[in-house]
Amino acid sequence: MNRRFHFISGLPRSGSTLLSAILSQNPRFRAGMSGPIGGAFNTLLGELSGRNEYSVFVTDEQRQRMLKGLFDTYYGPEYGAEVIFDTNRIWCSKMRHLRPLFPQGKVIACVRNMSWIIDSIEQLIRKNTFQPSSIFNYQPGGTVYSRSEALANGEGMVGAPYNALKEAFYGDETQNLMLLQYETLVSDPAAAIAAVYDFIGEMPYAHDFENISYQADEFDLRAGTPGLHEVRRKITVRERMSVLPPDVFRRFENDVFWRDASLNPRNVRVV
C-alpha cells in the first residue's frame, strides 16, 4: 500500500493523545498514543553505526532503506489506513533523519504552557497517591520540588522533549514543522484541526468534537498512572487552580518561546 506518513511529537501533557483521537475519526487516518517505532528507530540507527564492526558493509542508502522499512513493516496491512500518524516525542530531535526518509512527511508538535504541563503531571501523581508512577521510576518519595526538578532537567520527561522541540524549531527542516498549542486545540478544535489538514495537504473531514473516543487504560494502569492518556468525550476548556507552589509555577511560565514572534526567525507555523 502506498501510504503517507506524518508524525505527532512535542511536549507531554499537551494534547497529542487528544489530537490522535480526533484524527482517528477519519477512516482514512490512523493515529494513536506513543508507540515503539521511535525507540526501535534509535536502536537501529545506533546498531548501524561505527560501534558495530560490520558497519563497513553498510552504506547510507542501506541505512535509509532499513530505517524506512521499520515503518512499512510495523504498519502492515492490518492497519488499513492511507495516512499514518506515528506519535513519539523523539521525532522533534530526528527532523534531519525524517526529511530524507519522508520528504512529504510533516511533524505536528503539540505544545503547552510549561507551568501547566508540570502542574498536570503533579495532578496525576496526587490523584493516584497510592500508586507510585513509572514517571518517577515507581519511587514513592520526593516532594513537588524534587518532582518538578526531575521533570524539567535535560533528561527528564518534560526537559528532554522541550530541548528536542527547540532543536526542531531552530533547525533547517522547519518547513515540515508545525506547532499546535494545547490552548488552541481545546478552545477552538475546529480551527486547530483545519490547520492540521491544511498543513498536511489533506481534504477536510467533518469531525465530531463532542464525541471523542480513546482508550489506553491497560497501558496507564501498568505504568502506575491511571488517567495518563485519558481523553474526555467532549472537548471543553477547564478552568482550575494550579497545585504547584507559586515559585515553582513562576519558574516555567516564561518558557513559551513559541509565542514570541521575535524568537521565530524561520517563521514556523504556530496555531
Side-chain angles (χ1 to χ4, degrees):
M1 182 182 294
N2 185 22
R3 288 179 167 145
R4 291 181 293 284
F5 285 93
H6 300 296
F7 307 88
I8 298 173
S9 191
L11 305 177
R13 310 299 296 167
S14 299
S16 61
T17 305
L18 174 57
L19 174 61
S20 295
I22 296 171
L23 292 174
S24 291
Q25 290 182 340
N26 188 329
R28 296 180 53 248
F29 292 175
R30 190 278 175 188
M33 58 175 279
S34 293
I37 294 295
F41 188 95
N42 240 7
T43 299
L44 182 57
L45 195 59
E47 289 303 318
L48 295 175
S49 71
R51 77 181 183 201
N52 184 329
E53 62 180 312
Y54 299 110
S55 65
V56 295
F57 303 119
V58 184
T59 66
D60 272 356
E61 289 74 17
Q62 290 171 313
R63 289 184 178 94
Q64 291 188 40
R65 285 200 303 272
M66 293 174 73
L67 290 167
K68 190 174 184 300
L70 282 174
F71 296 86
D72 297 328
T73 302
Y74 180 77
Y75 292 106
E78 66 270 22
Y79 283 91
E82 299 173 35
V83 182
I84 301 289
F85 297 83
D86 188 85
T87 302
N88 202 295
R89 287 190 288 274
I90 198 176
W91 297 132
C92 277
S93 67
K94 300 298 181 186
M95 299 288 290
R96 66 189 186 279
H97 300 92
L98 295 178
R99 186 175 181 181
L101 294 177
F102 304 98
Q104 306 305 317
K106 307 294 186 180
V107 177
I108 303 157
C110 295
V111 297
R112 185 182 187 181
N113 182 298
M114 290 285 286
S115 297
W116 286 109
I117 292 176
I118 302 295
D119 172 88
S120 179
I121 297 170
E122 182 66 19
Q123 286 267 5
L124 274 175
I125 297 303
R126 298 186 183 197
K127 179 181 178 182
N128 302 303
T129 190
F130 293 107
Q131 298 186 55
S133 171
S134 64
I135 295 173
F136 300 103
N137 296 317
Y138 301 101
Q139 297 299 314
T143 67
V144 63
Y145 289 91
S146 62
R147 287 190 290 272
S148 63
E149 182 64 33
L151 290 169
N153 72 50
E155 301 298 322
M157 177 182 175
V158 180
Y162 180 77
N163 290 340
L165 174 69
K166 294 184 78 172
E167 179 180 333
F169 193 81
Y170 294 107
D172 293 328
E173 294 81 24
T174 51
Q175 67 270 31
N176 289 345
L177 176 69
M178 184 184 90
L179 270 59
L180 177 60
Q181 299 180 93
Y182 175 83
E183 296 80 2
T184 304
L185 184 59
V186 296
S187 64
D188 194 350
I193 297 302
V196 170
Y197 273 76
D198 178 66
F199 182 60
I200 64 176
E202 291 288 338
M203 294 295 294
Y205 179 82
H207 288 276
D208 184 353
F209 301 113
E210 297 190 0
N211 189 28
I212 308 298
S213 176
Y214 191 84
Q215 292 291 328
D217 295 346
E218 183 179 353
F219 179 92
D220 293 355
L221 187 62
R222 183 177 180 183
T225 317
L228 182 62
H229 293 94
E230 180 182 4
V231 172
R232 289 177 173 80
R233 188 178 186 88
K234 181 178 179 180
I235 300 176
T236 57
V237 177
R238 294 190 306 133
E239 300 291 343
R240 60 176 176 79
M241 184 179 294
S242 173
V243 298
L244 299 180
D247 54 332
V248 176
F249 193 91
R250 288 195 300 268
R251 176 186 169 188
F252 303 102
E253 63 184 357
N254 293 320
D255 289 337
V256 286
F257 62 89
W258 54 87
R259 294 183 181 173
D260 187 342
S262 68
L263 298 178
N264 189 359
R266 297 180 184 272
N267 295 314
V268 176
R269 185 170 183 175
V270 180
V271 177

